[in-house]
Structure formats: C-alpha cells, structure tokens
C-alpha cells in the first residue's frame, strides 16, 4: 500500500489543492490526514468540505479541538487565539460536530497517526528534541508514528539511541522505530514556504517528504481580506 500522509492544513485551500494535485500524480492507495484542518487560514470550511468529500481518514489536531471548544484558548499565543476565535465563529454546527468526532490517534497495523505525541496526546506537547521523542517512542508499539504539530519536517529514529534525520527520503530499517513529522501543508515553519507532506510506501519500507509550490500570495490576501492578523499572511511568505 502507498499512503499520502498530510496535516496542518490550517484553512489554506490553495495549499491543500496543490498537495492533492501532487498526490494524484503519486498514485497512492489511501490518503490520511494528521489534523489541524482549520485555524490560521481564511478557508476552514472549504478545507473541511474537501477532506470530507474525499473520505480521507483523519485525526484531531489542537486547532480543530479548540474551534469546537475542546481545548482551552489559554493554550494558544495571541495570533493563534485570534484565529481560533475567528474560525469558531465561522464554522457551522455540522462542521464542528464532525471535527469533534475525530479520534486522537489512528493505529493502522504497521504504523500509527497522532497529531502531537503519543505521550498524553490531548495535551499537545511538541516533539522538538530527543527527550520528547523518547517519551513518544516508549509508547510506540508500531514500526512508525506519523505526526505533525510543529510544522517542521523531521524524522527521529530509535535503534538503541535516538538520532535525527532531515533527509527527504528515509528507508525504514527492520528493527528500528521511527517518529516521522511530515511538515505542514498550510503553514510551513522550516523556512521553505512550499507545502510539505509525506508519501509512505509500506511495501518498500520507504518514506518520502514532498514539497509542493502553491499560490502563497493568494492565500495571504485571503487572510488579510478576512480581517485575520496580518502576521499570519506574512509568515506564509517566509515559511516561518
Ligand atoms: Zn498546526
């Protein structure tokens, strides 16, 4: 099976459309979403509609949870909070009910999805270093755990010790375990403004991170026109 695994779309329908176009060319069997469909961007409803219409398996992100009242606003910085409040006003009851129904984790045989970390997933901790990765690895029964949340693509590998891999493609060794952050579709923060997502070829035991250019200017203009904080448009251009 070949999977496209993507998340942190954040209401950016330009980026989502570009990624789905790329996925089509990559001939995958199944699409999976790591959550944070909404928050920051100007088109949360359009992104939810697209994901639902394609029947994409999806887990819950912290912004999805906050937009439905599930995660308190004091978790967020002022820009994120403004976006959460704007998004919560904008979404209808059916969209909120669907977001609230999403699971925190999705085990899929050889691998598992979680938005933030397996270590208390509803507290939304970040895996930015080996200590945080170790806490997640300790709970990982599968060969690999796919995550988002930090918006920075990176892979942690445990085989005795824990190492960090920033390569575009990773071959999954038998006997090692992996935590793979596929980056963000709608708000990358690694200095590359292109949308980021992962392709898992389960048979070949290989993961590839793909970057896809999209109309960043248009997505930014929609954020400004919506009256969202201008910083949220600027950061798309910078990829930070
Ligand atoms: Zn996010």
């Amino acid at each position: 099976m070949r999977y496209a695994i993507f998340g942190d779309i954040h209401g950016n329908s330009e980026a989502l459309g570009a990624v789905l176009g790329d996925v089509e060319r990559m001939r995958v069997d199944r699409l999976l979403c790591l959550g944070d469909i909404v928050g920051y961007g100007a088109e949360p409803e359009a992104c939810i509609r697209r994901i639902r219409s394609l029947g994409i398996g999806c887990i819950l992100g912290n912004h999805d949870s906050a937009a439905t009242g599930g995660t308190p606003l004091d978790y967020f910085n002022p820009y994120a909070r403004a976006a959460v409040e704007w998004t919560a006003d904008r979404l209808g009851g059916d969209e909120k009910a669907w977001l609230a129904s999403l699971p925190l984790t999705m085990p899929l045989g050889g691998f598992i999805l979680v938005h933030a970390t397996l270590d208390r997933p509803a507290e939304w901790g970040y895996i930015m270093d080996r200590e945080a990765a170790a806490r997640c690895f300790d709970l990982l029964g599968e060969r690999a755990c796919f995550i988002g949340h930090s918006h920075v693509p990176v892979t942690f590998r445990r085989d005795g010790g824990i190492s960090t891999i920033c390569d575009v493609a990773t071959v999954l060794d038998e006997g090692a375990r992996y935590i793979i952050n596929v980056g963000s579709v709608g708000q990358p923060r690694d200095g590359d403004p292109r949308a980021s997502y992962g392709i898992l070829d389960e048979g070949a035991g290989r993961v590839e991170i793909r970057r896809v250019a999209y109309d960043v200017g248009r997505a930014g203009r929609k954020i400004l026109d919506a009256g969202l904080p201008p910083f949220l448009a600027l950061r798309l251009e910078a990829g930070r």
Side-chain angles (χ1 to χ4, degrees), residues 33-80:
C33 175
L34 287 162
D36 273 6
I37 301 170
V38 306
Y40 297 129
E43 294 184 292
E45 319 94 309
C47 293
I48 291 174
R49 221 178 299 125
R50 195 99 192 251
I51 299 277
R52 289 180 79 178
S53 70
L54 292 170
I56 295 171
C58 190
I59 57 169
L60 185 72
N62 52 309
H63 281 259
D64 307 320
S65 171
T68 65
T71 289
L73 286 178
D74 56 17
Y75 170 88
F76 295 91
N77 69 46
Y79 301 113

Tab-separated table of all heavy atoms in Angstrom, residues 33-80:
chain	number	residue	atom	x	y	z
A	33	CYS	N	-5.005	12.076	7.035
A	33	CYS	CA	-4.807	13.457	7.484
A	33	CYS	C	-4.486	13.494	8.974
A	33	CYS	O	-5.174	12.883	9.788
A	33	CYS	CB	-6.061	14.277	7.179
A	33	CYS	SG	-5.977	15.956	7.819
A	34	LEU	N	-3.441	14.250	9.324
A	34	LEU	CA	-2.921	14.306	10.693
A	34	LEU	C	-3.546	15.414	11.542
A	34	LEU	O	-3.049	15.700	12.633
A	34	LEU	CB	-1.402	14.501	10.654
A	34	LEU	CG	-0.592	13.274	10.233
A	34	LEU	CD1	0.822	13.684	9.815
A	34	LEU	CD2	-0.528	12.257	11.364
A	35	GLY	N	-4.603	16.044	11.057
A	35	GLY	CA	-5.310	17.040	11.870
A	35	GLY	C	-4.824	18.462	11.683
A	35	GLY	O	-3.905	18.731	10.915
A	36	ASP	N	-5.465	19.400	12.417
A	36	ASP	CA	-5.331	20.842	12.192
A	36	ASP	C	-5.732	21.203	10.760
A	36	ASP	O	-4.965	21.804	10.000
A	36	ASP	CB	-3.924	21.363	12.542
A	36	ASP	CG	-3.799	21.747	14.018
A	36	ASP	OD1	-4.757	21.503	14.785
A	36	ASP	OD2	-2.742	22.284	14.415
A	37	ILE	N	-6.956	20.834	10.449
A	37	ILE	CA	-7.527	21.217	9.154
A	37	ILE	C	-7.822	22.716	9.173
A	37	ILE	O	-7.721	23.394	8.160
A	37	ILE	CB	-8.835	20.429	8.895
A	37	ILE	CG1	-8.552	18.929	8.910
A	37	ILE	CG2	-9.474	20.834	7.572
A	37	ILE	CD1	-9.797	18.076	8.895
A	38	VAL	N	-8.172	23.229	10.346
A	38	VAL	CA	-8.595	24.636	10.479
A	38	VAL	C	-7.614	25.417	11.360
A	38	VAL	O	-6.691	24.858	11.943
A	38	VAL	CB	-10.018	24.726	11.067
A	38	VAL	CG1	-10.992	23.891	10.250
A	38	VAL	CG2	-10.047	24.292	12.535
A	39	GLY	N	-7.872	26.744	11.447
A	39	GLY	CA	-7.043	27.613	12.288
A	39	GLY	C	-5.977	28.297	11.456
A	39	GLY	O	-5.323	27.643	10.649
A	40	TYR	N	-5.805	29.607	11.612
A	40	TYR	CA	-4.849	30.481	10.921
A	40	TYR	C	-5.344	30.944	9.544
A	40	TYR	O	-5.281	32.123	9.237
A	40	TYR	CB	-3.469	29.836	10.740
A	40	TYR	CG	-2.727	29.508	11.996
A	40	TYR	CD1	-2.201	28.232	12.190
A	40	TYR	CD2	-2.538	30.456	12.985
A	40	TYR	CE1	-1.497	27.909	13.353
A	40	TYR	CE2	-1.833	30.144	14.153
A	40	TYR	CZ	-1.317	28.874	14.320
A	40	TYR	OH	-0.622	28.558	15.449
A	41	GLY	N	-5.795	30.037	8.690
A	41	GLY	CA	-6.131	30.381	7.310
A	41	GLY	C	-7.576	30.815	7.152
A	41	GLY	O	-8.403	30.659	8.052
A	42	ALA	N	-7.872	31.371	5.943
A	42	ALA	CA	-9.156	32.043	5.713
A	42	ALA	C	-10.260	31.110	5.222
A	42	ALA	O	-11.397	31.537	5.097
A	42	ALA	CB	-8.957	33.173	4.703
A	43	GLU	N	-9.937	29.843	4.903
A	43	GLU	CA	-10.974	28.986	4.325
A	43	GLU	C	-11.124	27.641	5.041
A	43	GLU	O	-10.964	26.579	4.432
A	43	GLU	CB	-10.674	28.770	2.845
A	43	GLU	CG	-10.803	30.072	2.057
A	43	GLU	CD	-10.605	29.869	0.575
A	43	GLU	OE1	-9.475	29.546	0.179
A	43	GLU	OE2	-11.581	30.025	-0.169
A	44	PRO	N	-11.444	27.703	6.341
A	44	PRO	CA	-11.584	26.440	7.077
A	44	PRO	C	-12.700	25.550	6.540
A	44	PRO	O	-12.535	24.329	6.452
A	44	PRO	CB	-11.887	26.902	8.511
A	44	PRO	CG	-12.407	28.301	8.386
A	44	PRO	CD	-11.703	28.875	7.198
A	45	GLU	N	-13.844	26.182	6.140
A	45	GLU	CA	-14.978	25.351	5.679
A	45	GLU	C	-14.610	24.624	4.394
A	45	GLU	O	-14.938	23.445	4.222
A	45	GLU	CB	-16.234	26.186	5.394
A	45	GLU	CG	-16.544	27.284	6.368
A	45	GLU	CD	-15.975	28.611	5.924
A	45	GLU	OE1	-14.773	28.685	5.609
A	45	GLU	OE2	-16.733	29.599	5.897
A	46	ALA	N	-13.954	25.341	3.469
A	46	ALA	CA	-13.600	24.726	2.184
A	46	ALA	C	-12.660	23.535	2.401
A	46	ALA	O	-12.775	22.502	1.732
A	46	ALA	CB	-12.937	25.757	1.266
A	47	CYS	N	-11.736	23.675	3.359
A	47	CYS	CA	-10.787	22.581	3.618
A	47	CYS	C	-11.507	21.381	4.234
A	47	CYS	O	-11.251	20.238	3.853
A	47	CYS	CB	-9.646	23.066	4.516
A	47	CYS	SG	-8.591	24.279	3.702
A	48	ILE	N	-12.411	21.643	5.186
A	48	ILE	CA	-13.187	20.539	5.781
A	48	ILE	C	-13.999	19.832	4.699
A	48	ILE	O	-14.025	18.602	4.617
A	48	ILE	CB	-14.124	21.063	6.894
A	48	ILE	CG1	-13.310	21.529	8.098
A	48	ILE	CG2	-15.128	19.996	7.315
A	48	ILE	CD1	-14.139	22.198	9.196
A	49	ARG	N	-14.661	20.621	3.854
A	49	ARG	CA	-15.508	20.041	2.794
A	49	ARG	C	-14.687	19.127	1.881
A	49	ARG	O	-15.093	18.029	1.542
A	49	ARG	CB	-16.113	21.179	1.967
A	49	ARG	CG	-17.573	20.955	1.607
A	49	ARG	CD	-18.141	22.125	0.821
A	49	ARG	NE	-18.111	23.375	1.538
A	49	ARG	CZ	-17.545	24.520	1.096
A	49	ARG	NH1	-16.940	24.580	-0.066
A	49	ARG	NH2	-17.583	25.614	1.821
A	50	ARG	N	-13.506	19.588	1.512
A	50	ARG	CA	-12.656	18.824	0.584
A	50	ARG	C	-12.211	17.500	1.218
A	50	ARG	O	-12.271	16.456	0.591
A	50	ARG	CB	-11.433	19.688	0.246
A	50	ARG	CG	-10.636	19.239	-0.946
A	50	ARG	CD	-10.997	20.048	-2.173
A	50	ARG	NE	-10.446	19.425	-3.370
A	50	ARG	CZ	-9.440	19.932	-4.070
A	50	ARG	NH1	-8.890	21.058	-3.719
A	50	ARG	NH2	-9.000	19.303	-5.151
A	51	ILE	N	-11.767	17.559	2.470
A	51	ILE	CA	-11.307	16.361	3.181
A	51	ILE	C	-12.470	15.370	3.340
A	51	ILE	O	-12.316	14.168	3.110
A	51	ILE	CB	-10.771	16.740	4.590
A	51	ILE	CG1	-9.588	17.695	4.488
A	51	ILE	CG2	-10.445	15.505	5.416
A	51	ILE	CD1	-8.267	17.083	4.248
A	52	ARG	N	-13.636	15.899	3.720
A	52	ARG	CA	-14.786	15.010	3.936
A	52	ARG	C	-15.260	14.405	2.626
A	52	ARG	O	-15.600	13.225	2.568
A	52	ARG	CB	-15.938	15.779	4.591
A	52	ARG	CG	-15.669	16.131	6.028
A	52	ARG	CD	-16.819	16.878	6.648
A	52	ARG	NE	-17.918	15.986	7.050
A	52	ARG	CZ	-19.029	16.412	7.653
A	52	ARG	NH1	-19.208	17.691	7.905
A	52	ARG	NH2	-19.961	15.551	7.998
A	53	SER	N	-15.268	15.199	1.554
A	53	SER	CA	-15.801	14.684	0.282
A	53	SER	C	-14.903	13.591	-0.279
A	53	SER	O	-15.365	12.711	-1.004
A	53	SER	CB	-15.962	15.818	-0.736
A	53	SER	OG	-14.686	16.257	-1.160
A	54	LEU	N	-13.626	13.625	0.079
A	54	LEU	CA	-12.700	12.592	-0.407
A	54	LEU	C	-12.659	11.388	0.539
A	54	LEU	O	-11.945	10.419	0.274
A	54	LEU	CB	-11.288	13.181	-0.574
A	54	LEU	CG	-11.145	14.219	-1.699
A	54	LEU	CD1	-9.798	14.918	-1.619
A	54	LEU	CD2	-11.330	13.568	-3.063
A	55	GLY	N	-13.401	11.456	1.655
A	55	GLY	CA	-13.443	10.326	2.596
A	55	GLY	C	-12.092	10.021	3.212
A	55	GLY	O	-11.765	8.855	3.477
A	56	ILE	N	-11.301	11.079	3.455
A	56	ILE	CA	-9.937	10.897	3.961
A	56	ILE	C	-9.960	10.597	5.464
A	56	ILE	O	-10.603	11.318	6.231
A	56	ILE	CB	-9.102	12.166	3.680
A	56	ILE	CG1	-8.947	12.350	2.162
A	56	ILE	CG2	-7.741	12.107	4.380
A	56	ILE	CD1	-8.330	13.663	1.753
A	57	GLY	N	-9.292	9.530	5.884
A	57	GLY	CA	-9.177	9.196	7.304
A	57	GLY	C	-8.431	10.312	8.017
A	57	GLY	O	-7.380	10.754	7.557
A	58	CYS	N	-8.955	10.773	9.148
A	58	CYS	CA	-8.429	11.996	9.756
A	58	CYS	C	-8.437	11.900	11.277
A	58	CYS	O	-9.368	11.331	11.853
A	58	CYS	CB	-9.314	13.152	9.294
A	58	CYS	SG	-8.652	14.762	9.698
A	59	ILE	N	-7.413	12.439	11.907
A	59	ILE	CA	-7.372	12.535	13.370
A	59	ILE	C	-7.496	14.006	13.782
A	59	ILE	O	-7.456	14.910	12.952
A	59	ILE	CB	-6.077	11.900	13.942
A	59	ILE	CG1	-4.837	12.553	13.349
A	59	ILE	CG2	-6.081	10.389	13.742
A	59	ILE	CD1	-3.556	12.149	14.060
A	60	LEU	N	-7.619	14.212	15.097
A	60	LEU	CA	-7.872	15.545	15.659
A	60	LEU	C	-6.569	16.312	15.904
A	60	LEU	O	-5.617	15.761	16.443
A	60	LEU	CB	-8.610	15.372	16.989
A	60	LEU	CG	-9.088	16.617	17.713
A	60	LEU	CD1	-10.277	17.244	16.993
A	60	LEU	CD2	-9.482	16.273	19.158
A	61	GLY	N	-6.559	17.599	15.550
A	61	GLY	CA	-5.458	18.493	15.895
A	61	GLY	C	-5.884	19.481	16.969
A	61	GLY	O	-7.087	19.607	17.258
A	62	ASN	N	-4.939	20.197	17.553
A	62	ASN	CA	-5.278	21.122	18.639
A	62	ASN	C	-6.160	22.278	18.168
A	62	ASN	O	-7.047	22.727	18.890
A	62	ASN	CB	-4.022	21.652	19.338
A	62	ASN	CG	-3.004	22.242	18.401
A	62	ASN	OD1	-2.637	21.600	17.411
A	62	ASN	ND2	-2.530	23.433	18.674
A	63	HIS	N	-5.954	22.755	16.923
A	63	HIS	CA	-6.810	23.834	16.416
A	63	HIS	C	-8.219	23.338	16.116
A	63	HIS	O	-9.189	24.071	16.326
A	63	HIS	CB	-6.192	24.461	15.163
A	63	HIS	CG	-5.087	25.411	15.469
A	63	HIS	ND1	-5.243	26.777	15.465
A	63	HIS	CD2	-3.796	25.185	15.816
A	63	HIS	CE1	-4.102	27.359	15.790
A	63	HIS	NE2	-3.196	26.406	16.003
A	64	ASP	N	-8.325	22.097	15.626
A	64	ASP	CA	-9.658	21.510	15.390
A	64	ASP	C	-10.397	21.424	16.718
A	64	ASP	O	-11.582	21.733	16.819
A	64	ASP	CB	-9.527	20.103	14.795
A	64	ASP	CG	-8.643	20.063	13.564
A	64	ASP	OD1	-8.728	20.995	12.748
A	64	ASP	OD2	-7.855	19.102	13.437
A	65	SER	N	-9.665	20.964	17.741
A	65	SER	CA	-10.243	20.791	19.070
A	65	SER	C	-10.665	22.139	19.650
A	65	SER	O	-11.775	22.283	20.183
A	65	SER	CB	-9.205	20.106	19.978
A	65	SER	OG	-9.633	20.099	21.296
A	66	ALA	N	-9.801	23.144	19.525
A	66	ALA	CA	-10.104	24.465	20.094
A	66	ALA	C	-11.297	25.119	19.396
A	66	ALA	O	-12.110	25.774	20.034
A	66	ALA	CB	-8.881	25.363	19.999
A	67	ALA	N	-11.412	24.916	18.077
A	67	ALA	CA	-12.514	25.528	17.323
A	67	ALA	C	-13.865	24.948	17.729
A	67	ALA	O	-14.906	25.534	17.475
A	67	ALA	CB	-12.297	25.350	15.822
A	68	THR	N	-13.841	23.780	18.376
A	68	THR	CA	-15.095	23.157	18.824
A	68	THR	C	-15.229	23.240	20.339
A	68	THR	O	-16.077	22.577	20.926
A	68	THR	CB	-15.141	21.673	18.395
A	68	THR	OG1	-14.106	20.954	19.066
A	68	THR	CG2	-14.945	21.528	16.911
A	69	GLY	N	-14.353	24.029	20.989
A	69	GLY	CA	-14.447	24.227	22.436
A	69	GLY	C	-13.774	23.137	23.252
A	69	GLY	O	-13.912	23.099	24.478
A	70	GLY	N	-13.025	22.245	22.578
A	70	GLY	CA	-12.428	21.100	23.277
A	70	GLY	C	-11.098	21.390	23.952
A	70	GLY	O	-10.702	20.686	24.873
A	71	THR	N	-10.379	22.426	23.468
A	71	THR	CA	-9.085	22.781	24.066
A	71	THR	C	-9.166	24.249	24.482
A	71	THR	O	-9.577	25.094	23.677
A	71	THR	CB	-7.938	22.568	23.048
A	71	THR	OG1	-7.757	21.163	22.860
A	71	THR	CG2	-6.623	23.162	23.525
A	72	PRO	N	-8.818	24.587	25.735
A	72	PRO	CA	-8.972	25.970	26.208
A	72	PRO	C	-8.110	26.958	25.430
A	72	PRO	O	-7.008	26.622	24.984
A	72	PRO	CB	-8.524	25.905	27.673
A	72	PRO	CG	-8.185	24.498	27.978
A	72	PRO	CD	-8.255	23.682	26.732
A	73	LEU	N	-8.615	28.197	25.299
A	73	LEU	CA	-7.918	29.207	24.498
A	73	LEU	C	-6.606	29.652	25.124
A	73	LEU	O	-5.725	30.162	24.432
A	73	LEU	CB	-8.826	30.429	24.310
A	73	LEU	CG	-9.988	30.244	23.332
A	73	LEU	CD1	-10.835	31.498	23.277
A	73	LEU	CD2	-9.464	29.898	21.936
A	74	ASP	N	-6.447	29.475	26.447
A	74	ASP	CA	-5.201	29.945	27.060
A	74	ASP	C	-3.994	29.082	26.674
A	74	ASP	O	-2.860	29.410	26.992
A	74	ASP	CB	-5.324	30.080	28.590
A	74	ASP	CG	-5.767	28.791	29.265
A	74	ASP	OD1	-5.678	27.724	28.618
A	74	ASP	OD2	-6.212	28.853	30.430
A	75	TYR	N	-4.245	27.981	25.965
A	75	TYR	CA	-3.139	27.185	25.410
A	75	TYR	C	-2.416	27.962	24.303
A	75	TYR	O	-1.234	27.747	24.060
A	75	TYR	CB	-3.701	25.858	24.852
A	75	TYR	CG	-2.707	25.057	24.045
A	75	TYR	CD1	-1.847	24.145	24.650
A	75	TYR	CD2	-2.609	25.235	22.660
A	75	TYR	CE1	-0.921	23.438	23.910
A	75	TYR	CE2	-1.682	24.526	21.915
A	75	TYR	CZ	-0.840	23.631	22.543
A	75	TYR	OH	0.082	22.949	21.816
A	76	PHE	N	-3.106	28.891	23.645
A	76	PHE	CA	-2.615	29.480	22.393
A	76	PHE	C	-1.980	30.868	22.582
A	76	PHE	O	-2.370	31.607	23.489
A	76	PHE	CB	-3.772	29.619	21.403
A	76	PHE	CG	-4.344	28.300	20.964
A	76	PHE	CD1	-5.402	27.716	21.641
A	76	PHE	CD2	-3.799	27.615	19.881
A	76	PHE	CE1	-5.923	26.488	21.248
A	76	PHE	CE2	-4.309	26.399	19.484
A	76	PHE	CZ	-5.373	25.829	20.166
A	77	ASN	N	-1.033	31.204	21.676
A	77	ASN	CA	-0.484	32.556	21.652
A	77	ASN	C	-1.547	33.496	21.049
A	77	ASN	O	-2.533	33.033	20.483
A	77	ASN	CB	0.851	32.591	20.890
A	77	ASN	CG	0.672	32.348	19.400
A	77	ASN	OD1	-0.203	32.933	18.763
A	77	ASN	ND2	1.480	31.473	18.838
A	78	PRO	N	-1.361	34.829	21.181
A	78	PRO	CA	-2.418	35.768	20.755
A	78	PRO	C	-2.840	35.627	19.290
A	78	PRO	O	-4.033	35.733	18.987
A	78	PRO	CB	-1.795	37.145	21.016
A	78	PRO	CG	-0.769	36.905	22.073
A	78	PRO	CD	-0.247	35.519	21.859
A	79	TYR	N	-1.892	35.391	18.369
A	79	TYR	CA	-2.260	35.247	16.954
A	79	TYR	C	-3.118	34.010	16.742
A	79	TYR	O	-4.126	34.027	16.040
A	79	TYR	CB	-1.009	35.112	16.075
A	79	TYR	CG	-0.074	36.260	16.170
A	79	TYR	CD1	1.187	36.117	16.741
A	79	TYR	CD2	-0.442	37.512	15.668
A	79	TYR	CE1	2.050	37.188	16.826
A	79	TYR	CE2	0.420	38.590	15.750
A	79	TYR	CZ	1.668	38.420	16.328
A	79	TYR	OH	2.526	39.474	16.406
A	80	ALA	N	-2.680	32.915	17.365
A	80	ALA	CA	-3.401	31.652	17.203
A	80	ALA	C	-4.783	31.762	17.833
A	80	ALA	O	-5.769	31.272	17.279
A	80	ALA	CB	-2.609	30.512	17.836
